[in-house]
Amino acid sequence: MREILRTNDMVLVSAVGALLNGANIKHVLLDGNMSVLEGSAAAIPRRMLVSDDDDAAARQLLTEAGLGHELRDAR
């Protein structure tokens, strides 16, 4: 799994999730439940991961959607 996004912006998380769903790219959102524990202060960013095989396609999709500046560095 590779992290493609890390943010506190829930609108961005939702938009990226919708784009990935529309392209049938499976993804996992980590730390989403931490907001319950931390009182929704947005102190802990949410992380979105895709499989190694889908990394390039997900990055291309988000770049074409104008969200390339939000991507984490590829490793």
Side-chain angles (χ1 to χ4, degrees):
M1 298 294 284
R2 297 200 183 184
E3 182 180 349
I4 60 168
L5 179 71
R6 184 181 297 188
T7 184
N8 290 328
D9 185 343
M10 290 310 297
V11 174
L12 179 60
V13 168
S14 179
V16 170
L19 285 168
L20 294 173
N21 285 338
N24 292 319
I25 297 174
K26 294 180 181 173
H27 58 281
V28 176
L29 181 64
L30 300 179
D31 304 321
N33 293 328
M34 290 304 292
S35 64
V36 173
L37 297 175
E38 48 121 334
S40 297
I44 300 174
R46 278 68 170 173
R47 297 175 291 150
M48 190 166 293
L49 286 72
V50 297
S51 73
D52 292 346
D53 294 339
D54 289 331
D55 183 60
R59 289 177 181 282
Q60 180 177 350
L61 175 69
L62 296 180
T63 299
E64 290 173 358
L67 297 172
H69 63 282
E70 298 289 351
L71 290 169
R72 299 287 290 178
D73 291 336
R75 294 189 174 119

